[in-house]
Structure formats: structure tokens, C-alpha cells
Amino acid sequence: LLFQPGDVFEVRAPDCRERRDARYAFTSSGYFTSETIDKAVAAIVELDNSAMAPGIYVTLNPVAPALLARAANRIKSHARETTQDKDVVCRRWLLIDIDSVRPSGVSATETELALALERGRAVAEYLESIGWPRPILALSGNGYHLLYSVELSANDAGLVKAALTALAERFSNAAADIDRSVHNPARIVKVIGTHSRKVDDLRGVSGLEDRPHRRSMFLEVPEPVIVVPETLLRAVANGDGRVNGAKRTRLATPVVNAGG
């Protein structure tokens, strides 16, 4: 879904530990091409099954092919260099990352997840009402991702940042928050299908709602995935849903069933 023929991408797992109580953490990283996706899958599965990584991620956008020489078609431990913004070829995806508001370092409860999903669906319904296509919807493990296809240069003059800020101001609340920080071109995103392992897998404690480790998964993938026109992205960045200065249409607040 994320990459096209000829693309190079990084797989990265920060904060790895060889054993649970190990004092020192390290980053595992490797680079793959769209043509060697099977090798990426095998390496990701091996790392996920080892449970050394609290999360496994992939660059959202394609990177400079020269980076393949850092670790070609393999994941190496104790990586010193990872992808920087200057290494990104172009922007292909806009990530809207919705997380429940909860203490740091813990997994989400089912109640908290439901509140994050309600916000995610509210965002998607609002954007669809002003002409955006349907997004890819994924459970990240402790929140939800909306992924929209875009065609932008790596240096977008702050357009993605402005759009995320506008959406966060409109839809974040005391229960769920839209992450404003995921605007940079070298942003990494959870490899869907892998686990999210935040500290302890808390289950079955009397009087407490479970906070389990979860496997991320795709929930909705539109067919086909349609590119968001830049004019619609700029309309959201304006903060008022206007396209090319057109008069704003008054929108009702979406009513969403958080259960899906």
C-alpha cells in the first residue's frame, strides 16, 4: 500500500532490548526496496516474534536509494544512522494519528480505544464532507491511523503541519488527541500487523480494566486509494474548509458510533 516500484524504505525499531530487564536499549534498522518486500516481511516477522522491540516502524515516504547501502535488505541491531528529513524523496502519505489521552508508558484500554476511534471517524467524515476521499483506517495498537494518499514535495512549505494543526484544534478533546508532531517527511509509522508492547501486558487485575499488548491491523482499505488534491489539503490548512477562498459551508458535527 505505501510504496511504488523502485522505492526504498527503512524499517526501524527503536528502544530494543535483548532481554526485558536490560539496562541499555538500541535501535534496529534496515533498508529495503519495493522489489524485496518479501525479505522485509521475513525480517519484520523475526524481530516481532523476538519481542525485543516495543514497536516496529517504517518510513512513511520513500527515501534516497543510496541509503540502501547502510543495511541492504536486512535489519541490523545497534544502528547508528537512520533516515532524516533531508533523505526523503517526496511525500506520498498524510498521517493523522489519533491516540487516547492516558498516562504515558501504558497500553490503552478498550474504553480508551473506543474514544479514539470515535474521534478518528469524526475526522474522516468531516474530510469526506468537504470532498476528501476515504482514508485507509488502521488500528495502531493503542490508537488509530488515518492514511491519505498525497502527491507533494518533501519540502511542502509547512502545508502538512498546518493541516494537522487545524484538524487537531477542531477535533482533539479531553479523551482523544490528534498528534500534531507527525508532519515531518521522515516520519515513521507502525508496521501494520506487528505488536505494540508498552511496558507490561496488564490483564486480569481485579478492579482494573485490561491494558493489553495488541497487534496492529488494517480495518478499512478503500479500493482504489485516491490521491487528495492539494487544493483540498490547503483548504483544511486554512482552518475553515474553504477552497480558493470560497464561502465556507456550515457543517454539522458528525454523529459516530464508536463501536465501529
Side-chain angles (χ1 to χ4, degrees):
L1 285 172
L2 293 184
F3 301 105
Q4 299 177 10
D7 285 348
V8 174
F9 58 91
E10 180 193 359
V11 175
R12 189 189 314 167
D15 203 28
C16 293
R17 284 175 167 79
E18 293 181 350
R19 62 181 187 278
R20 184 178 179 183
D21 59 347
R23 182 175 180 182
Y24 298 105
F26 57 90
T27 295
S28 295
S29 172
Y31 291 82
F32 300 85
T33 70
S34 57
E35 289 73 24
T36 59
I37 194 89
D38 289 346
K39 291 184 178 180
V41 170
I44 289 166
V45 168
E46 181 179 359
L47 181 58
D48 194 37
N49 288 342
S50 75
M52 289 195 309
I56 304 174
Y57 303 84
V58 64
T59 48
L60 192 62
N61 299 304
V63 306
L67 272 58
L68 189 66
R70 290 179 176 173
N73 302 316
R74 64 188 178 94
I75 296 176
K76 69 178 183 181
S77 62
H78 300 84
R80 293 181 177 274
E81 297 174 307
T82 57
T83 304
Q84 305 299 309
D85 286 345
K86 62 183 175 60
D87 301 319
V88 174
V89 175
C90 63
R91 292 180 185 262
R92 296 251 183 81
W93 295 97
L94 167 69
L95 168 66
I96 301 175
D97 183 11
I98 306 104
D99 256 329
S100 60
V101 176
R102 63 187 190 280
S104 62
V106 301
S107 298
T109 65
E110 290 300 317
T111 299
E112 289 166 344
L113 271 183
L115 293 171
L117 180 59
E118 185 276 332
R119 288 290 81 194
R121 291 203 181 278
V123 171
E125 290 188 12
Y126 162 68
L127 292 175
E128 190 171 359
S129 76
I130 61 172
W132 285 46
R134 290 176 52 225
I136 295 170
L137 173 64
L139 167 68
S140 64
N142 293 296
Y144 292 89
H145 289 167
L146 302 179
L147 285 168
Y148 288 92
S149 176
V150 297
E151 293 178 350
L152 299 170
S153 63
N155 181 5
D156 68 342
L159 177 57
V160 168
K161 181 178 181 180
L164 289 177
T165 298
L167 289 172
E169 290 175 351
R170 186 181 185 109
F171 288 99
S172 292
N173 59 24
D177 182 65
I178 294 174
D179 193 341
R180 303 170 185 233
S181 71
V182 298
H183 57 80
N184 63 306
R187 176 59 46 181
I188 54 176
V189 65
K190 180 69 61 64
V191 176
I192 302 303
T194 61
H195 288 86
S196 181
R197 298 181 172 97
K198 285 185 178 290
V199 196
D200 288 350
D201 186 348
L202 186 69
R203 304 173 193 245
V205 177
S206 178
L208 295 180
E209 193 171 352
D210 291 347
R211 294 185 178 275
H213 294 167
R214 295 182 182 87
R215 186 186 295 275
S216 57
M217 66 181 71
F218 286 113
L219 300 178
E220 297 172 6
V221 179
E223 182 60 41
V225 175
I226 299 173
V227 175
V228 178
E230 187 174 337
T231 52
L232 293 182
L233 190 58
R234 291 191 179 281
V236 170
N238 289 338
D240 58 8
R242 292 182 296 179
V243 178
N244 296 330
K247 184 178 180 180
R248 179 181 176 184
T249 301
R250 188 173 183 84
L251 298 170
T253 302
V255 177
V256 179
N257 178 353

